[in-house]
Amino acid sequence: MTKADIVDSVYERVGFSKKEAAQMVEMFFEILKETMDRGEKIKISGFGNFVVKEKRARKGRNPQSGGEIEISPRRVLTFKPSQALKKLLNT
Amino acid sequence: MNKAELAMEVARRAKVNQKVAKVVVDAIFEEMVTTLQKGERIEIRGFGSFVIRNYGSYQGRNPKTGESVNVTPKKLPYFKVGKELKEKINSKG
């Protein structure tokens, strides 16, 4: 499934034109991205949480050469599925 | 941000009433859940993708009692952050 399929389902459910449905889906993902980019958590009941985590610097290894390297501190986005979603997928 | 706040922001930007925005937001999440239930992947360019990962059964432990328990096979959704978003988020560190 891609964004186009999501647009189709919004279009079928709401009385918008295809173009309006596409714009709203676009805005939807844009808002999610901007919110996470600010480091803000997103909690969607029945779906899950998107959380930005701060990772400290750590030592790693280049798997090819075996040489030790420093992995710089970074921010990563993680998704934690809700209990409800996990249950739905396993029934 | 929760789902209600997300719908409010969609309403504000799209200049539609909040009821309509809520229907749209609910429709999008419902569609994504249905897709995952079918075992299909979701791919949103510039955002990321969701895939179902299958986990086999294994012997686990109840962390409270230390008792050994049998964990049944399960499916879990895995979200892979899109390259663009991943880099954008990390650049703010």
Side-chain angles (χ1 to χ4, degrees):
Chain A
M1 156 188 254
T2 62
K3 206 148 61 183
D5 300 307
I6 296 177
V7 170
D8 284 343
S9 77
V10 169
Y11 168 71
E12 280 161 24
R13 287 198 212 196
V14 194
F16 290 137
S17 69
K18 261 274 170 67
K19 197 181 159 195
E20 286 168 323
Q23 280 170 344
M24 294 196 66
V25 171
E26 205 59 57
M27 274 175 200
F28 171 92
F29 286 108
E30 197 49 50
I31 293 164
L32 291 185
K33 281 198 274 184
E34 286 174 17
T35 305
M36 295 187 284
D37 197 31
R38 287 198 301 268
E40 198 183 312
K41 191 179 190 174
I42 298 171
K43 294 162 84 167
I44 307 295
S45 67
F47 190 74
N49 298 345
F50 294 93
V51 187
V52 177
K53 287 187 178 164
E54 302 274 349
K55 299 278 187 186
R56 277 177 298 188
R58 64 191 166 93
K59 293 247 191 296
R61 267 182 200 287
N62 177 336
Q64 233 152 63
S65 65
E68 205 168 76
I69 43 170
E70 166 100 347
I71 298 169
S72 58
R74 60 193 64 211
R75 291 171 96 200
V76 295
L77 175 60
T78 59
F79 172 70
K80 190 167 182 257
S82 76
Q83 286 297 333
L85 178 60
K86 284 199 253 180
K87 217 174 156 188
L88 272 175
L89 295 176
N90 289 287
T91 45
Chain B
M1 170 182 272
N2 59 29
K3 200 159 74 174
E5 288 161 346
L6 173 59
M8 266 167 62
E9 187 59 17
V10 170
R12 195 183 66 79
R13 291 193 196 190
K15 297 185 177 68
V16 294
N17 73 50
Q18 286 186 25
K19 229 170 130 184
V20 171
K22 190 179 179 296
V23 172
V24 171
V25 168
D26 283 337
I28 297 172
F29 285 117
E30 275 169 31
E31 195 61 28
M32 293 204 284
V33 171
T34 311
T35 304
L36 292 175
Q37 266 187 299
K38 285 188 277 190
E40 286 171 27
R41 60 182 286 141
I42 304 170
E43 220 176 309
I44 310 293
R45 220 171 283 170
F47 184 75
S49 57
F50 294 88
V51 286
I52 297 296
R53 284 193 176 171
N54 291 291
Y55 294 87
S57 67
Y58 59 93
Q59 284 294 122
R61 266 180 201 286
N62 179 333
K64 248 191 190 135
T65 63
E67 239 175 293
S68 172
V69 286
N70 190 26
V71 180
T72 54
K74 62 188 164 194
K75 292 178 185 155
L76 288 176
Y78 173 76
F79 176 65
K80 186 168 185 236
V81 190
K83 195 171 175 238
E84 186 193 305
L85 182 59
K86 188 177 171 178
E87 283 167 2
K88 204 173 165 213
I89 286 176
N90 192 32
S91 68
K92 299 282 168 63

